[in-house]
């Protein structure tokens, strides 16, 4: 796979980190499938990406729904003939202390963040295995490594994404499919904008580089993990956290 080629699916790509990843890969000449539960925003993002001279497809996908995921892969193959790269980025938070967390909030976060990552990887791997080539990058979180008070559902889902990444790396390595994870720390997006000032200050105290990250910081790590330069790297977790995790 040369830097200029490839078809990449990015889930949750309408905005935030997913949009930055889609933009980075589009700048490299890859064709982009903009998958998101928000179809209007996904189409808007796809239109912006097409200005880079690449082809795009916007697909409405709830990653926790197996039928939606099946359609995402089928639409991609029908349009572009293949899938080279899958970036599992879609993710949500529904924070509360464990003793107050509802069963529904637990299930929703696990369904989208962990089951959604599994369903997309499973469906994409079936296409990648046939041609013995592929890259899967799962967006985890430092919460899945450190644990975060108030995020039992989210931290558990992201720890699960790391276990899933390592398992898939072992299962798919013989088919030349590399599977890696990125664990972002405190990245400035709509997801973190809603945190209180005191929580943001608390995060900054834990970051040796003394700043929040940008969506582009995460996109740069994805760029590396789908590039030829990382062809001997699989099953790893790259922390993009300004040193929050050492
Ligand atoms: P974001 O701004 O909320 O963007 C996430 C996108 O995913 C949104 O467009 C969202 O749509 C979409 N989405 C939500 N549920 C979905 C579903 N069921 N199926 C498909 N798409 C869905 O979040 P972000 O900050 O960019 O985060 C992106 C990823 O990075 C997530 O996996 C997150 O856990 C991870 N991460 C973020 C940070 C951070 O500091 N921001 C740190 C560590 C890890 P809606 O608007 O409808 O929800």
């Amino acid at each position: 796979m040369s830097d200029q080629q490839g078809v990449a699916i990015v889930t949750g790509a309408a905005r935030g980190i997913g949009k930055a990843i889609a933009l980075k890969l589009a700048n490299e000449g890859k064709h982009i499938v903009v998958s998101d539960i928000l179809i209007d925003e996904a189409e808007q993002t796809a239109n912006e990406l097409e200005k880079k001279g690449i082809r795009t497809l916007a697909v409405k996908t709830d990653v926790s729904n197996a039928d939606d995921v099946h359609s995402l892969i089928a639409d991609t193959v029908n349009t572009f003939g293949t899938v080279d790269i899958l970036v599992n980025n879609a993710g949500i938070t529904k924070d509360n202390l464990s003793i107050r967390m509802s069963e529904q909030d637990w299930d929703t976060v696990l369904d989208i963040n962990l089951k959604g990552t599994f369903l997309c990887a499973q469906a994409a791997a079936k296409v990648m295995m046939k041609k013995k080539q592929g890259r899967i990058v799962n967006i985890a979180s430092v919460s899945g490594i450190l644990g975060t008070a108030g995020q039992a559902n989210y931290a558990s889902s992201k720890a699960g994404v790391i276990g899933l990444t390592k398992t898939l790396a072992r299962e798919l390595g013989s088919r030349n499919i590399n599977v890696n994870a990125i664990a972002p720390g405190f990245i400035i997006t709509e997801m973190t904008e809603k945190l209180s000032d005191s929580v943001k200050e608390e995060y900054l105290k834990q970051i040796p580089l003394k700043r929040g990250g940008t969506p582009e910081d995460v996109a740069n790590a994805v760029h590396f993990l789908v590039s030829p330069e990382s062809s001997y790297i699989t099953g790893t977790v790259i922390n993009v956290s300004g040193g929050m995790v050492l």
Side-chain angles (χ1 to χ4, degrees), residues 1-6 28 30 133 226 228:
M1 187 165 51
S2 93
D3 235 12
Q4 300 306 311
Q5 294 169 337
E28 294 165 3
K30 294 182 172 64
Q133 182 178 289
V226 304

Side-chain angles (χ1 to χ4, degrees), residues 158-242:
K158 295 300 189 177
V161 166
I162 291 171
L164 174 64
T165 301
K166 294 181 184 209
T167 300
L168 290 172
R170 290 189 190 279
E171 290 183 357
L172 300 174
S174 64
R175 304 298 179 99
N176 195 30
I177 300 168
N178 302 43
V179 189
N180 291 290
I182 292 170
F186 180 59
I187 309 295
I188 313 295
T189 66
E190 282 177 46
M191 184 182 266
T192 47
E193 276 302 318
K194 59 189 177 196
L195 296 171
S196 68
D197 286 346
S198 62
V199 171
K200 287 181 197 165
E201 270 169 37
E202 210 40 56
Y203 273 125
L204 285 175
K205 277 189 207 153
Q206 299 168 40
I207 301 173
L209 290 181
K210 293 293 165 218
R211 67 169 177 89
T214 63
E216 291 71 29
D217 289 323
V218 180
N220 288 337
V222 174
H223 155 76
F224 173 64
L225 288 175
V226 304
S227 72
E229 284 75 19
S230 63
S231 64
Y232 200 55
I233 297 176
T234 195
T236 60
V237 183
I238 295 185
N239 299 316
V240 180
S241 68

